[in-house]
Amino acid sequence: DASLAEVNSFSPSVPISPSSMINQYKFEDEPELRDLFITVDDPESHITAIETFITYRVVTKTSRGEFDSSEYEVRRRYQDFLWLKSKLEEAHPTLIIPPLPEKFIMKGMVERFSDEFIETRRKALHKFLNRIADHPTLTFHEDFKVFLTAQAWELSSHKKQGPGLLSRVGQTVRAVASSVRGGVKNRPEVFTEMNDYMETFSQKINVLDKIAHRIYKEEREYFNEMKEYGPIHTLWSASEEDIADSLKGVASCIDKCCKATEKRMAGLSEHLLPVLHEYVLYTEILMGVSKRRDQIQGELDSKVDALANKKTEKDLFSEEIEKLEDKVECANNALKADWDRWKQNMQSDMRATFTHMAENNLRYYEE
């Protein structure tokens, strides 16, 4: 946050706009020089006898030594992104994995493969990969490297090496069973506070998301109505010679307002709605991470209780408890570090998003 002294220190000859102020502070938050750049573009439809699906081109440029080349180009479908997310969650259960766009269930195939839907998904997939690339731990995961570099047949072969369906089902059953047993007894205060924050954040971000969609819907209705009024005034001017110039002036004014409104709608749909929705999805991920941390804590608590009730096998239990204590400490440290990082990113994203929206509104009213 800027202090008044910092703001006033700007040269008075340079106009201070919200965006120029944002740019001043971006330098403080920027990480060290990046060595991995990823682009998701060029969606392509594929129609087979069994299914119709979209693939996206993923271009990677890097200067990292563990990569055999400095540039890669592969094609990936949505299911491949899902696989990557599940592998990262499996390997790092208490890290905050970025969200993927939902696999929307559409009424008809036309909507699902509309240009607007595909472009919205492409942007979300692009952000997903770049969030991982910017993460200090996830960026070096082997499956992420495979995802970026392997050809389709290589990726397919690599996927088959993962745990089988029964193994995954077993993990899910254990997780559910653990959560049903009851709350964690010895949860540190910091994680209770984290859960409280998540609940409040979830409520607020969902309200913001709904309000933003309502604003956009009302704006679109207003735009559609206004589009009809310009031509009406032009036609009217043809039959009213005395006020023809005034009516044409009103028609021209309405046309300018239409263009300004259209730009404002584009700003909402491109910069505000996607950011809010991404953080709506983040709330589910945060709850999942918290539950997985509690599950690890729960395993430790149950072993400690078992040790207290058993006179024999103390050495065996003590060894298991030591391992679980280490596991809990690793999980706690990982989540705490990632939590701080996530909050900083979220606050930076929100600040930039709402500043952009404010600037958009200023331009709109000026026009």
Side-chain angles (χ1 to χ4, degrees):
D1 294 336
S3 68
L4 287 173
E6 284 175 315
V7 173
N8 292 332
S9 68
F10 285 105
S11 166
S13 62
V14 179
I16 301 172
S17 70
S19 62
S20 66
M21 288 172 67
I22 281 288
N23 289 336
Q24 293 286 339
Y25 306 118
K26 273 185 179 171
F27 293 113
E28 296 171 15
D29 300 331
E30 277 182 2
E32 292 179 13
L33 288 174
R34 289 179 62 190
D35 54 7
L36 187 63
F37 298 88
I38 304 166
T39 308
V40 178
D41 61 12
D42 189 27
E44 196 176 277
S45 295
H46 299 263
I47 301 170
T48 69
I50 303 169
E51 60 179 341
T52 301
F53 59 93
I54 307 290
T55 62
Y56 301 84
R57 181 174 66 173
V58 178
V59 177
T60 305
K61 295 182 181 180
T62 183
S63 56
R64 288 186 187 173
E66 66 265 28
F67 286 84
D68 298 329
S69 175
S70 61
E71 190 168 337
Y72 295 88
E73 182 179 313
V74 294
R75 294 204 74 85
R76 296 287 180 255
R77 57 185 295 185
Y78 181 77
Q79 286 180 358
D80 300 327
F81 287 86
L82 274 178
W83 169 82
L84 174 62
K85 184 172 181 287
S86 69
K87 294 300 283 185
L88 293 174
E89 284 176 346
E90 187 183 304
H92 304 284
T94 54
L95 289 183
I96 301 167
I97 313 298
L100 275 172
E102 305 100 323
K103 189 164 186 176
F104 298 104
I105 301 169
M106 296 294 181
K107 293 174 186 173
M109 297 300 282
V110 178
E111 283 183 56
R112 185 180 164 197
F113 296 112
S114 69
D115 291 343
E116 189 180 356
F117 171 80
I118 292 168
E119 178 58 12
T120 301
R121 173 169 280 185
R122 182 201 67 75
K123 286 178 180 175
L125 296 176
H126 174 87
K127 184 174 267 191
F128 168 74
L129 291 184
N130 279 280
R131 292 271 196 209
I132 295 169
D134 290 339
H135 193 284
T137 303
L138 301 178
T139 188
F140 296 108
H141 194 275
E142 184 60 26
D143 286 316
F144 183 48
K145 181 186 169 188
V146 170
F147 178 91
L148 297 176
T149 61
Q151 293 305 311
W153 63 270
E154 292 174 306
L155 182 65
S156 180
S157 173
H158 183 77
K159 281 182 182 179
K160 290 172 185 172
Q161 297 169 16
L165 176 63
L166 290 175
S167 169
R168 292 198 298 275
V169 169
Q171 289 168 8
T172 307
V173 169
R174 284 198 297 277
V176 171
S178 174
S179 64
V180 169
R181 288 189 200 115
V184 178
K185 290 185 295 185
N186 301 316
R187 181 198 284 148
E189 182 64 25
V190 63
F191 297 110
T192 302
E193 289 172 5
M194 212 179 273
N195 279 4
D196 293 342
Y197 183 96
M198 285 178 207
E199 283 182 24
T200 307
F201 178 79
S202 176
Q203 289 167 4
K204 288 179 184 288
I205 200 72
N206 274 285
V207 168
L208 278 172
D209 188 51
K210 284 175 186 170
I211 291 171
H213 275 92
R214 195 174 73 219
I215 289 170
Y216 182 78
K217 184 185 171 204
E218 289 175 0
E219 197 85 353
R220 180 172 282 284
E221 288 169 357
Y222 169 63
F223 172 73
N224 289 336
E225 283 184 16
M226 199 161 46
K227 269 202 307 188
E228 296 175 10
Y229 286 117
I232 286 170
H233 281 77
T234 304
L235 288 170
W236 186 8
S237 69
S239 58
E240 294 278 2
E241 290 183 16
D242 294 344
I243 54 169
D245 290 342
S246 298
L247 291 170
K248 283 177 184 174
V250 172
S252 172
C253 176
I254 290 171
D255 184 52
K256 285 176 185 172
C257 288
C258 268
K259 286 173 182 171
T261 304
E262 197 167 20
K263 272 196 275 184
R264 181 155 76 155
M265 282 164 53
L268 287 168
S269 67
E270 290 172 22
H271 300 285
L272 178 67
L273 298 180
V275 173
L276 292 178
H277 191 64
E278 182 188 18
Y279 280 97
V280 167
L281 297 178
Y282 257 124
T283 59
E284 295 173 25
I285 287 164
L286 292 168
M287 296 294 182
V289 168
S290 177
K291 281 180 184 172
R292 289 195 289 273
R293 194 222 69 87
D294 285 354
Q295 186 189 343
I296 295 168
Q297 178 89 54
E299 282 182 60
L300 174 61
D301 291 346
S302 65
K303 286 290 180 190
V304 170
D305 290 344
L307 178 61
N309 295 331
K310 287 199 173 187
K311 304 295 182 189
T312 57
E313 302 175 6
K314 277 205 170 185
D315 292 341
L316 178 64
F317 270 99
S318 297
E319 192 178 324
E320 284 185 32
I321 285 169
E322 277 181 27
K323 286 180 183 174
L324 281 168
E325 282 173 343
D326 290 343
K327 193 176 176 184
V328 168
E329 189 176 351
C330 287
N332 289 352
N333 291 337
L335 179 50
K336 276 193 278 193
D338 226 24
W339 174 253
D340 291 339
R341 185 179 173 279
W342 177 83
K343 273 182 79 174
Q344 283 180 358
N345 282 347
M346 179 269 290
Q347 287 162 358
S348 173
D349 285 346
M350 290 296 163
R351 185 167 63 238
T353 297
F354 284 112
T355 302
H356 185 279
M357 189 179 74
E359 284 192 302
N360 217 17
N361 285 345
L362 284 170
R363 278 194 297 270
Y364 169 76
Y365 287 113
E366 281 170 358
E367 285 175 26

